[in-house]
Amino acid sequence: MTDVFIGLEIHIQLLTRSKVFCSCPSGFGEEPNLHVCPVCLGYPGVLPALNRRALEFAYLTGLALKCTMAKRIHFDRKNYFYPDMAKNYQISQFHAPVGVHGNMDFDAEDGRKTIRIHDIHLEEDAGKMIHGSGKSLLDYNRAGSSLLEIVTEPDFRSGREAELFLQEFRSLVRTVGVCDGNMEEGSLRCDANVSVNKPGKGLGTKVEIKNLNSSRFVRKALEYEIRRQSRLLRTGRAIIQETRLWDEKRTRTEPMRSKEEALDYRYFPEPDLPPFCPDEQFITKVADMLTELPISRYDRYRETWELNEETARYLAEDVSRAEFFEQSVEQGADAKLAASWIKGELTKLQAKGEFSFSRRTVDPQGFSSLLRLTDAGEITAQQAKEVLQVMAETGGDPQTIIKERVITGGLDEQQLRDLASAVISQYPDTSAQIQGGNMKALGFLMGSIMKETGGAADPKASRRILLELLGIDLTK
Amino acid sequence: MTGIRELSQWRSLTRDGDSRARYQRMLQRADRDIASMLEIDVEKGFSSVLGQNSPHLQGIPFSVKDNIALSGFSFTCGSKILEPLVSPYHAGAVQKLLSAGAVPVGKANMDEFGMGSSTENSAFTVTRNPWDLDRVPGGSSGGSAASVAAGLVPFSLGSDTGGSVRQPAAFCGIYGCKPTYGRVSRYGLAAYASSLETIGILSADISMMEQVFHCISGTDERDQTTWEAVPAYQDEQGSPTAAVISDLEGMDPEIRRGYERTLEAMKSLGWKITEVSLKSLKYAMPAFYTIACAEASSNLARYTGIRYGMRHSTSAAQEEMVRMTREEGFSAEVKLRVLLGTYVLRSGFQDQYYLKAQKIRTRMKQEFDMMFSQADVLLMPVYPVQAFKAGDEGMTPMQQKVADRYTLPANLAGLPAVSFPAGIESGLPVGMQLLGPSCSEERLFSLIRKLSEVIPPPELPVRLGAEEEADD
């Protein structure tokens, strides 16, 4: 048995339009070295000019992570040589970061857990170095983009916990609107440190793991590393303090550098940027930017509408989806019905690119009146799906669409006729009974049509056609 | 008056294509012996002008120290490592002068990255003092000072990290202004020691210096350490109080005589003199070099040959290429300071060096605050000796550093200081300086103008050809 201690260092690229110290646009996937200027290329004589928006986003994240916010921050230089870092020092925060002593809740497999946040600090991103065929190429488009680093305390006990936390964290930064949370594109990056020790002995020797490009890799790498270190511990061998890289192909970690090779960053205060002391106006502005966090929405959905865990989490994790849901309920939709339709049909439409919760063609008002029509049995579920499709395409309201279009429930008049004829010939006795005046027997034929179509047939149309084919005119 | 020429005469040098071509020839000829400039191009400079906002500065030529960005011109900082670099942008201060209509005519030589006091430590050429070609013009803005003293230009932009504007100005018999930290944008000044240095002005004429200061000072959004200063003082009516340091040591007799002469002039103008002590003064040198080297080690890390500048011709991998480029591109003095700076910043040793130096700096600021609650200005010599001989007969780098003790305090405390000529001794100029509280430049200019009525500035060894001008 061992105790496991895991801490995460998460980097998020802030969604600022320009870079953190110059006016170059920050973006992903552009032609290499397109978004560069003397400042982010580190030409002689240039100075950093701090992006106000990046500061707001940093404080906003700190607020969402319940940090003690700094009354006065300054920047420090972290000195080390690397070709993708134009100045060979990174402007970061060491002595007076934006926030300290925060915490964040998430749901682990065995229930709710609180992770302590050590600190969050604002810094600049490096460029990218691409190696290949005896050459190394440099792309400085990303150099100087605003980056926020969030450092947790070693509060996780398993790789799965770290993975679940990261998923909740990604949802949080997306909801707050500071980061797009895309791990594949590198706008959310994570390093992990892990130590194992004999029970009750406290922290062991720390090993840092890098190159974790998804929350799944984080879990796998940690699980591998815990096994590796536990084995060393069990067999009485030493665990070396080092940095290791996750190799996804071989599904194992490899040594990168040991403690002896660790760099001395020679931190000292950045003389080119004055300290920043947020005033009341700044603090108010940032506080106004803060929206309800996903985990709090989740709790509310569970409590107020008794949604199941999966549905509540699905709705709460995406802010535009959550808002669509809540607004539909405000418009009078039944919460459970709305939730199930959002999770089902609207998500399908979104996957097909025909609808988006953030740029809506279907608004919550139209959506909720459609649900009411379905609930009242005026249209079938299948018809409602069709109407929803039309709403997504045209942006119209359901009443008008029903009035103006033939909504057959997926079957046109002729198909329905053929089906009715078939049912009549299949059950000649029942048909004769109906013709004899036993209208209750009509229910059986109707049921057969419904069974054949999986409930898609419009009941009114089916009834009309059956009666017509049986030669019964009820108006007489 | 500019001290040398009337404004209209300076202006006529840049007026039309023919004048500029003639001025170009005159500059090249006049600079042959003193080598104050690394690049001279009047026409290119004229085409860089961005406006004519100032009736005073419009059409007026100037030179720019080669560590200040002037787009399209060389940007070597006096270093081999930047030899092929052409600036892609204008410094903030340069941009303001170009908008005013002033005409840059070239880049001035300097000690590599501002590290030196003689302009001998340039990778390209040794600049001579126009007063005596065997002597140095001072440094690191020696090219700027020589170009002004030789009458090539009426003013020059330099930079002052620890006296690099004032000391060469004193050696060359002209005025040198080191502004309050944050009053002039540093954007475009290649950094040596960011927290200590400012762009400064060298001129033979105090009024011109005032005009230039007025033009280049003020906020720049690209330098967030600038601030909109409220000038501490306007033109002085009453009698000011000048502080002098009671136990000032180590001055050469010539400097001592200039100092005494200035004191007499002050008294004759009715100024009150008060003796003060500045206890932190003796720690200025070690504190300064600790901080300056620390910052330099980080500021110079960007010069690797990867993105611009010189690159060693090796075919080795990048790490080795960077090492060889820096080995070849930097001089021994630069390497010494980078190594010292790296040493004092090591983790675990910062308390011993870097933080201790910062404490001395804080202490010095407090002492100045105290002093300027009782006095309006402080008089000090600029340098303990006059312009020294070039080469082996001159001062060693260590002697030069020790001799920086009078100029360093203004940089450590971020205060303004203006140096001025205080007579000729043994055929060479003597320089004094007035320091004042934050943002008191206007007062310093005004008081120095009054002193110049008692001690007139010297006649300069003008070299800009007379025979060519006769063509006019």
Side-chain angles (χ1 to χ4, degrees):
Chain A
M1 273 304 290
T2 50
D3 281 349
V4 174
F5 304 90
I6 297 165
L8 299 179
E9 286 173 20
I10 307 167
H11 286 95
I12 56 172
Q13 249 175 28
L14 297 177
L15 286 169
T16 52
R17 238 172 289 149
S18 53
K19 294 183 177 181
V20 65
F21 297 126
C22 64
S23 53
C24 288
S26 45
F28 174 78
E30 294 283 357
E31 183 189 323
N33 296 310
L34 189 68
H35 297 321
V36 293
C37 72
V39 176
C40 53
L41 284 180
Y43 266 69
V46 297
L47 297 172
L50 179 58
N51 182 328
R52 184 85 177 177
R53 193 72 176 161
L55 261 184
E56 288 170 4
F57 278 174
Y59 271 84
L60 177 57
T61 311
L63 212 55
L65 295 175
K66 302 193 267 301
C67 287
T68 306
M69 306 307 286
K71 298 238 175 354
R72 182 178 192 277
I73 61 163
H74 73 248
F75 289 85
D76 297 284
R77 287 191 188 174
K78 183 179 183 181
N79 295 285
Y80 64 100
F81 279 79
Y82 204 73
D84 65 6
M85 211 170 46
K87 302 183 294 293
N88 285 316
Y89 61 81
Q90 179 191 31
I91 303 178
S92 180
Q93 296 189 291
F94 187 65
H95 295 293
V98 165
V100 292
H101 305 317
N103 63 75
M104 185 182 140
D105 293 340
F106 77 108
D107 287 323
E109 278 174 318
D110 53 352
R112 180 131 322 168
K113 219 178 149 163
T114 301
I115 294 299
R116 293 168 301 153
I117 306 291
H118 180 273
D119 77 271
I120 65 168
H121 56 265
L122 186 57
E123 59 190 21
E124 60 180 331
D125 208 344
K128 274 181 188 163
M129 197 164 170
I130 304 123
H131 304 279
S133 66
K135 270 187 195 165
S136 292
L137 301 171
L138 285 159
D139 177 7
Y140 290 99
N141 277 349
R142 204 181 66 180
S145 293
S146 21
L147 207 58
L148 192 71
E149 179 169 346
I150 295 95
V151 183
T152 79
E153 298 286 357
D155 289 348
F156 303 97
R157 295 292 167 262
S158 71
R160 176 66 179 150
E161 272 191 14
E163 181 184 28
L164 288 167
F165 173 85
L166 265 181
Q167 285 164 1
E168 185 70 35
F169 180 83
R170 180 173 54 198
S171 160
L172 180 143
V173 293
R174 280 177 175 166
T175 297
V176 178
V178 294
C179 175
D180 67 19
N182 194 326
M183 283 191 89
E184 290 73 41
E185 290 178 5
S187 47
L188 191 159
R189 281 168 261 162
C190 180
D191 297 335
N193 57 69
V194 54
S195 74
V196 300
N197 211 347
K198 289 175 183 148
K201 295 275 184 186
L203 294 169
T205 305
K206 188 169 86 175
V207 171
E208 195 180 346
I209 316 170
K210 287 182 180 289
N211 198 30
L212 305 169
N213 302 326
S214 77
S215 54
R216 197 168 54 88
F217 291 180
V218 171
R219 172 176 55 77
K220 286 167 74 182
L222 283 168
E223 285 169 352
Y224 172 87
E225 194 55 26
I226 291 164
R227 278 198 307 276
R228 188 186 71 87
Q229 292 184 30
S230 301
R231 195 163 51 238
L232 290 172
L233 198 67
R234 209 169 42 239
T235 53
R237 282 177 291 171
I239 297 166
I240 305 162
Q241 184 175 338
E242 62 182 347
T243 302
R244 299 175 72 90
L245 286 180
W246 171 246
D247 185 334
E248 173 60 18
K249 277 187 197 131
R250 296 176 172 184
T251 60
R252 68 181 191 202
T253 63
E254 305 271 5
M256 179 185 159
R257 62 169 174 250
S258 70
K259 191 194 172 193
E260 287 72 36
E261 298 163 284
L263 302 165
D264 179 357
Y265 294 122
R266 290 174 282 121
Y267 284 101
F268 74 98
E270 168 56 84
D272 291 333
L273 289 167
F276 171 75
C277 306
D279 57 16
E280 212 157 291
Q281 200 189 345
F282 179 90
I283 290 165
T284 313
K285 186 178 178 190
V286 170
D288 287 347
M289 287 161 75
L290 187 64
T291 50
E292 188 182 14
L293 301 184
I295 197 157
S296 139
R297 280 193 202 269
Y298 168 84
D299 289 345
R300 198 155 51 78
Y301 295 174
R302 296 272 292 144
E303 239 166 70
T304 315
W305 294 301
E306 295 172 332
L307 301 183
N308 65 42
E309 286 178 20
E310 192 198 338
T311 307
R313 197 170 307 285
Y314 180 75
L315 292 177
E317 73 182 6
D318 181 275
V319 67
S320 49
R321 198 152 59 209
E323 278 170 359
F324 189 95
F325 165 71
E326 289 184 36
Q327 285 162 15
S328 302
V329 175
E330 275 165 32
Q331 295 288 336
D334 174 74
K336 280 189 176 143
L337 191 63
S340 118
W341 274 75
I342 288 171
K343 194 156 170 275
E345 285 311 304
L346 280 176
T347 300
K348 262 188 231 162
L349 285 172
Q350 188 175 33
K352 284 194 279 179
E354 289 166 9
F355 170 74
S356 156
F357 288 103
S358 47
R359 289 180 305 277
R360 307 158 172 176
T361 40
V362 178
D363 63 14
Q365 192 180 359
F367 177 68
S368 57
S369 58
L370 179 71
L371 294 188
R372 276 199 308 277
L373 289 172
T374 319
D375 215 17
E378 293 192 30
I379 50 173
T380 64
Q382 190 58 39
Q383 283 175 308
K385 285 177 192 175
E386 268 186 79
V387 174
L388 195 59
Q389 175 91 43
V390 178
M391 285 167 77
E393 281 163 17
T394 64
D397 80 288
Q399 303 281 14
T400 318
I401 291 167
I402 290 164
K403 232 178 268 168
E404 287 176 358
R405 299 202 178 202
V406 183
I407 303 299
T408 61
L411 301 160
D412 63 22
E413 180 84 7
Q414 193 53 53
Q415 284 172 310
L416 208 53
R417 237 168 229 286
D418 293 348
L419 197 60
S421 305
V423 169
I424 290 169
S425 5
Q426 199 180 344
Y427 301 106
D429 293 353
T430 316
S431 302
Q433 279 176 22
I434 298 164
Q435 282 163 330
N438 181 5
M439 291 309 286
K440 276 182 192 166
L442 185 66
F444 178 77
L445 291 189
M446 287 279 288
S448 301
I449 290 177
M450 288 301 163
K451 206 170 161 189
E452 285 289 318
T453 60
D458 176 14
K460 279 182 192 163
S462 306
R463 186 182 160 90
R464 173 173 54 79
I465 291 166
L466 277 173
L467 290 173
E468 192 190 316
L469 291 177
L470 293 167
I472 299 167
D473 186 354
L474 287 176
T475 55
K476 282 184 185 165
Chain B
M1 275 291 287
T2 63
I4 305 168
R5 287 161 197 263
E6 298 285 348
L7 283 182
S8 60
Q9 290 176 302
W10 284 117
R11 237 173 239 132
S12 70
L13 293 171
T14 64
R15 192 179 42 215
D16 52 45
D18 288 345
S19 332
R20 291 192 291 274
R22 189 181 317 121
Y23 185 26
Q24 172 83 20
R25 286 194 303 275
M26 286 161 68
L27 284 171
Q28 277 162 342
R29 182 172 307 184
D31 199 43
R32 211 173 287 153
D33 293 336
I34 54 171
S36 68
M37 311 274 263
L38 293 172
E39 184 184 4
I40 299 174
D41 195 332
V42 181
E43 196 55 46
K44 186 163 69 178
F46 182 79
S47 65
S48 318
V49 170
L50 299 168
Q52 39 189 349
N53 296 342
S54 162
H56 302 285
L57 296 174
Q58 191 254 317
I60 302 294
F62 67 105
S63 64
V64 180
K65 189 178 181 178
D66 209 28
N67 63 349
I68 300 172
L70 169 59
S71 185
F73 279 78
S74 76
F75 196 9
T76 69
C77 302
S79 180
K80 200 174 168 184
I81 209 164
L82 290 178
E83 188 173 357
L85 181 64
V86 171
S87 177
Y89 73 104
H90 290 312
V94 167
Q95 198 165 357
K96 285 181 177 177
L97 284 169
L98 295 175
S99 300
V103 182
V105 299
K107 300 301 295 281
N109 195 21
M110 57 181 288
D111 287 304
E112 186 175 355
F113 290 108
M115 298 175 180
S117 309
S118 67
T119 315
E120 294 173 290
N121 188 28
S122 159
F124 307 108
T125 183
V126 172
T127 298
R128 304 285 169 169
N129 191 321
W131 287 83
D132 176 351
L133 296 182
D134 290 335
R135 290 176 188 273
V136 303
S140 62
S141 310
S144 290
S147 70
V148 172
L152 308 191
V153 286
F155 77 92
S156 181
L157 286 187
S159 67
D160 192 312
T161 309
S164 282
V165 159
R166 290 161 288 157
Q167 187 256 23
F171 277 20
C172 292
I174 59 172
Y175 297 95
C177 169
K178 180 252 162 224
T180 306
Y181 189 81
R183 263 196 104 172
V184 174
S185 169
R186 284 184 298 118
Y187 186 79
L189 166 63
Y192 155 24
S194 318
S195 75
L196 296 160
E197 64 208 3
T198 63
I199 284 181
I201 309 155
L202 301 94
S203 178
D205 181 84
I206 193 77
S207 299
M208 168 138 299
M209 176 173 278
E210 209 164 3
Q211 293 295 347
V212 174
F213 177 74
H214 181 69
C215 173
I216 66 173
S217 58
T219 53
D220 178 352
E221 58 184 17
R222 295 163 304 178
D223 177 1
Q224 295 184 339
T225 64
T226 56
W227 34 285
E228 202 52 70
V230 179
Y233 299 91
Q234 293 302 330
D235 199 33
E236 296 298 317
Q237 296 306 321
S239 293
T241 302
V244 292
I245 291 169
S246 49
D247 50 352
L248 212 52
E249 285 168 354
M251 278 182 268
D252 268 10
E254 289 85 0
I255 305 295
R256 172 68 68 183
R257 283 199 288 278
Y259 186 64
E260 300 294 344
R261 183 183 300 123
T262 309
L263 275 175
E264 288 309 313
M266 288 173 160
K267 284 176 193 159
S268 76
L269 289 166
W271 298 12
K272 292 186 274 292
I273 310 289
T274 177
E275 288 206 347
V276 296
S277 66
L278 191 60
K279 290 199 177 66
S280 54
L281 185 61
K282 64 175 169 222
Y283 304 111
M285 199 280 264
F288 175 87
Y289 279 98
T290 302
I291 295 166
C293 292
E295 292 180 3
S297 71
S298 172
N299 283 329
L300 269 55
R302 69 188 62 191
Y303 305 123
T304 55
I306 289 181
R307 293 169 309 282
Y308 51 76
M310 188 207 89
R311 181 186 290 184
H312 192 279
S313 56
T314 177
S315 58
Q318 63 86 14
E319 213 166 301
E320 183 64 5
M321 184 278 283
V322 168
R323 197 189 65 76
M324 290 169 84
T325 299
R326 288 167 71 81
E327 162 68 32
E328 188 188 324
F330 289 143
S331 71
E333 181 64 29
V334 173
K335 285 175 196 158
L336 172 70
R337 296 195 196 194
V338 167
L339 284 173
L340 276 174
T342 307
Y343 182 82
V344 299
L345 283 178
R346 282 172 314 154
S347 74
F349 292 83
Q350 290 204 356
D351 282 354
Q352 224 172 309
Y353 300 107
Y354 182 74
L355 294 176
K356 199 177 261 182
Q358 294 292 6
K359 277 179 195 158
I360 295 171
R361 189 175 188 178
T362 304
R363 184 60 188 274
M364 184 164 256
K365 281 182 189 166
Q366 290 164 347
E367 277 198 281
F368 272 115
D369 281 348
M370 281 284 290
M371 182 194 297
F372 289 125
S373 66
Q374 295 155 15
D376 299 303
V377 291
L378 169 69
L379 171 71
M380 277 210 284
V382 174
Y383 210 64
V385 301
Q386 289 177 289
F388 51 86
K389 286 269 176 69
D392 294 341
E393 289 176 75
M395 294 168 83
T396 66
M398 190 59 196
Q399 286 170 330
Q400 291 178 28
K401 288 186 183 81
V402 173
D404 286 339
R405 61 186 175 276
Y406 305 137
T407 46
L408 303 177
N411 301 88
L412 285 165
L415 298 177
V418 179
S419 70
F420 55 95
I424 302 292
E425 295 290 339
S426 314
L428 292 171
V430 172
M432 292 293 134
Q433 60 174 334
L434 285 186
L435 281 76
S438 189
C439 299
S440 64
E441 286 88 343
E442 287 80 358
R443 148 178 282 196
L444 298 178
F445 296 143
S446 150
L447 292 179
I448 286 170
R449 187 179 289 112
K450 282 178 185 157
L451 282 173
S452 74
E453 286 159 18
V454 186
I455 313 172
E459 196 164 314
L460 295 173
V462 171
R463 292 176 163 264
L464 197 68
E467 71 261 40
E468 287 99 330
E469 273 188 287
D471 298 349
D472 268 10

